[in-house]
């Protein structure tokens, strides 16, 4: 399966008649493996900041997690494995694998739990595959 297929079929799947706002798989080196058309344009420094949060949990708390023009408040996650961010009724979930990060961005009516399940299940599967 291609990386784009993972984004199109696994991350941007139907959730009770709705779907994530955007999704991507980005290598830990900052290279985009695949993304939805709606995934925001981001700065390389934003991705390196997210990678650093996995290495040093809490490093994004003072500034927030930024993707493109959007700033998310960093909320509970799993140190070194999952970062969750919130902005209004929407948010972002980022799951780290051995080689990449899985991003899911949601807005109402999709809720944080639905986004977490989709992103983290794909991340867990890729980890099981050694990726």
């Amino acid at each position: 399966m291609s990386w784009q297929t993972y984004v199109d079929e696994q991350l941007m799947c139907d959730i009770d008649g709705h779907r994530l706002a955007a999704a991507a798989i980005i290598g830990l080196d900052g290279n985009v493996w695949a993304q939805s058309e709606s995934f925001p344009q981001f700065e390389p420094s934003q991705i390196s900041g997210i990678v650093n949060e996995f290495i040093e949990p809490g490093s994004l708390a003072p500034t927030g997690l930024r993707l493109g023009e959007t700033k998310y408040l960093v909320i509970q996650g799993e140190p070194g494995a999952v970062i969750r961010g919130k902005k209004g009724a929407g948010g972002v979930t980022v799951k780290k694998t051995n080689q990449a990060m899985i991003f899911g961005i949601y807005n109402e009516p999709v809720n944080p739990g639905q986004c977490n399940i989709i992103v983290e299940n794909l991340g867990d599967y890729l980890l099981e595959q050694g990726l």
Side-chain angles (χ1 to χ4, degrees), residues 34-86:
Q35 65 183 12
S36 64
E37 289 183 23
S38 54
F39 197 77
Q41 286 290 116
F42 57 85
E43 298 294 325
S45 62
Q46 294 172 333
I47 298 302
S48 61
I50 294 167
V51 171
N52 191 55
E53 174 70 18
F54 285 115
I55 297 166
E56 297 176 34
S59 63
L60 284 179
T63 60
L65 184 156
R66 292 185 180 272
L67 270 178
E69 299 297 317
T70 305
K71 177 182 173 183
Y72 298 92
L73 173 67
V74 177
I75 57 175
Q76 95 290 349
E78 298 170 27
V82 178
I83 300 169
R84 296 185 184 107
K86 187 101 172 104

Side-chain angles (χ1 to χ4, degrees), residues 99-110:
Q99 300 174 18
M101 296 171 289
I102 315 300
F103 287 79
I105 299 173
Y106 66 93
N107 292 312
E108 282 189 324
V110 175

